[in-house]
Amino acid sequence: MNITRLTPDPTGLVAWPTLSTSKKSVVTVGVFDGMHRGHQAVIARTVEIARRFGAFSVVVLFDPRPGMAHRYAAEHDGMDVPEGTPDLQALTGANDRIRMMRDMGVDHVLVVRYTMAFAAKSYRFFLGQMVGKLGMRALVLGSDAAMGKDRAGDVKAIANLAAATGVFELEVVDDAGPGTVRIPVDAQPHMPNEWGEPGDPCAGMTKAELRAWTKKRQTKLHRIWSSTNVRYLLSQGRIVDANAILGHRHAVEGVVVHGEERGRTIGFPTANLDEGSIVGYLPVDGVYAGWLVDMGPAETATAGDGDGSGVAGGGADAHGANGAADASDAAVAASDRVASDDRARIADGSPWRWPAAISIGTKPTFSEKTGLHERVVESYAITDDWLELYGHRVRVEFAGFLRPQVKFNSADDLVAELGRNVEETKRLTA
């Protein structure tokens, strides 16, 4: 896979690379946050058509998310999102999305920094660039895709453009999934009160009860296969349902730092994540079963990308990663990392992976970086080996919700409960 990072100039123009003077491209465009089943259907179709045509499969990936960029601009007099600004609502960082695209066989990922000047370009102009610069012969989109200024380039408008010009074909993928779901417009994270994986609160409701529930919460209709729905499910502790939509385990990454080390004193030493380094959407507070994966020392696992919003990196051998003209050497090394070392570490059964009981909590103090209450993520790796992970980037994968955060009457009560959490984690990760 070749990874190119592109930053538009102040007028919104992008210096698109020349991929080939003779070989055409099949292109898809989007954010692909979370890389859920709908996203995977679109990308798989892109790769399939490209192989049939003998063309490159190309993903144009926007980062930061347009939703975040437009909200930031609305609150800051049209300014672009500064480099390193955390996106607390992003399900995944760009590096995680790129890893999955690599595994699906994508040839090129063009990571475009999403700016307001770039957003002001029309979909006609953008698609003209795709044809003229990338040699696009086919465009693959999901059924509700929209692009360009004011999102005027919906599937119908693009289909009309393709038919009128005859220079590219449009392939629309049915990525809608099994239907729709209603989500409260102002939904807030809610920690379940009961032990065990929470279920759908609407399950078993009569039509009248469901109408009353949706009216009370001012719900809005969303596709089941959507990043919005996954985010909502995670905010309610519904890990199993979220993972079913993703088609893979939800995960976050961060750097291990020294904590208060209270777990060590009671026989449960934990890997504590530096809140400012965490990439990925944190589920609601609670105790979870999952896995802890050692991604290696942070200076190599995140070279050039402290915010995790670009390609994760560091690594030794080059694997065909192309840096953009303005990319640093560290960012190029970062691309190599995505294409090599991470696959072995993340793989099920790897020696860098352990089942883990995971605790997420909220402190009363505020984070200087986010301005919100500090979140604490601690993972107890279930292994007989002593793990020295300080300064390492780790990946925390979620398999299921175990229990809410509660206060215990004594240390003995806490130890007994942690022992039960470990046993349940072993069962869920076996």
Side-chain angles (χ1 to χ4, degrees):
M1 173 193 278
N2 295 287
I3 304 165
T4 306
R5 306 186 66 184
L6 302 162
T7 300
D9 70 16
T11 69
L13 294 177
V14 176
W16 299 102
T18 299
L19 304 182
S20 173
T21 57
S22 58
K23 194 172 181 178
K24 296 294 186 179
S25 298
V26 177
V27 179
T28 188
V29 179
V31 180
F32 306 103
D33 187 23
M35 280 292 289
H36 58 62
R37 291 183 185 275
H39 297 146
Q40 292 171 48
V42 171
I43 292 173
R45 186 65 174 149
T46 303
V47 172
E48 177 190 345
I49 295 174
R51 287 175 177 170
R52 190 203 318 154
F53 288 161
F56 291 123
S57 54
V58 179
V59 176
V60 178
L61 176 65
F62 299 142
D63 186 53
R65 292 182 308 118
M68 178 199 182
H70 285 284
R71 279 194 298 273
Y72 188 92
E75 296 168 359
H76 297 84
D77 297 324
M79 289 179 56
D80 291 327
V81 178
E83 293 273 4
T85 302
D87 183 357
L88 302 183
Q89 296 301 306
L91 292 173
T92 53
N95 55 345
D96 230 10
R97 293 168 241 168
I98 291 170
R99 286 176 190 141
M100 290 193 65
M101 293 171 189
R102 170 206 62 198
D103 292 342
M104 294 181 73
V106 172
D107 295 317
H108 291 269
V109 177
L110 309 182
V111 185
V112 179
R113 180 157 184 80
Y114 191 89
T115 65
M116 290 300 98
F118 175 75
K121 299 298 182 185
S122 72
Y123 74 92
R124 290 173 174 270
F125 176 83
F126 175 76
L127 294 176
Q129 295 280 290
M130 295 294 96
V131 172
K133 302 294 186 179
L134 302 185
M136 181 179 76
R137 68 166 294 174
L139 175 66
V140 182
L141 296 175
S143 55
D144 67 345
M147 65 180 68
K149 183 180 180 181
D150 300 325
R151 292 175 58 84
D154 59 14
V155 167
K156 182 178 180 180
I158 294 172
N160 290 337
L161 180 64
T165 60
V167 295
F168 71 94
E169 299 175 15
L170 174 64
E171 175 82 7
V172 179
V173 176
D174 181 7
D175 61 342
T180 57
V181 63
R182 288 197 171 274
I183 300 174
V185 173
D186 59 349
Q188 298 297 316
H190 173 72
M191 181 173 65
N193 296 319
E194 304 295 329
W195 268 240
E197 184 73 22
D200 182 355
C202 299
M205 284 187 181
T206 65
K207 289 184 178 180
E209 290 171 335
L210 185 58
R211 281 195 299 269
W213 187 88
T214 57
K215 183 177 180 180
K216 181 179 179 181
R217 289 161 179 80
Q218 296 183 325
T219 61
K220 184 178 179 181
L221 209 60
H222 291 272
R223 296 190 307 176
I224 292 176
W225 283 4
S226 67
S227 301
T228 299
N229 189 31
V230 173
R231 195 176 298 113
Y232 171 69
L233 293 171
L234 294 172
S235 76
Q236 309 301 299
R238 294 170 59 185
I239 301 298
V240 172
D241 289 337
N243 286 349
I245 295 168
L246 290 171
H248 56 86
R249 293 181 286 267
H250 178 64
V252 301
E253 294 187 14
V255 177
V256 178
V257 295
H258 289 276
E260 297 176 357
E261 300 186 353
R262 287 179 295 185
R264 181 179 300 187
T265 65
I266 58 174
F268 292 90
T270 57
N272 301 272
L273 301 191
D274 171 28
E275 187 201 21
S277 72
I278 294 174
V279 180
Y281 184 84
L282 282 179
V284 71
D285 288 359
V287 178
Y288 298 84
W291 286 265
L292 180 70
V293 184
D294 178 13
M295 305 295 284
E299 61 268 21
T300 58
T302 59
D305 259 0
D307 65 343
S309 61
V311 182
D317 300 324
H319 285 257
N322 290 338
D326 61 347
S328 66
D329 291 341
V332 176
S335 304
D336 300 342
R337 171 85 186 196
V338 168
S340 57
D341 301 348
D342 288 345
R343 176 181 294 177
R345 290 180 177 270
I346 293 173
D348 287 346
S350 89
W352 295 282
R353 166 189 288 276
W354 306 273
I358 305 153
S359 172
I360 301 178
T362 300
K363 286 185 174 182
T365 52
F366 290 91
S367 164
E368 290 184 5
K369 190 167 185 178
T370 66
L372 304 173
H373 287 285
E374 292 183 58
R375 306 290 301 282
V376 180
V377 182
E378 304 172 279
S379 300
Y380 171 70
I382 302 172
T383 174
D384 293 331
D385 298 326
W386 177 259
L387 305 179
E388 189 57 62
L389 297 176
Y390 292 123
H392 283 219
R393 176 163 287 273
V394 297
R395 178 180 176 87
V396 178
E397 298 178 355
F398 297 88
F401 181 87
L402 296 180
R403 64 172 175 86
Q405 292 285 2
V406 294
K407 187 174 182 179
F408 293 91
N409 293 326
S410 68
D412 289 342
D413 289 345
L414 173 59
V415 169
E417 179 59 32
L418 293 176
R420 287 189 287 270
N421 299 155
V422 167
E423 293 305 313
E424 184 66 6
T425 295
K426 289 179 181 178
R427 185 184 70 81
L428 291 175
T429 58

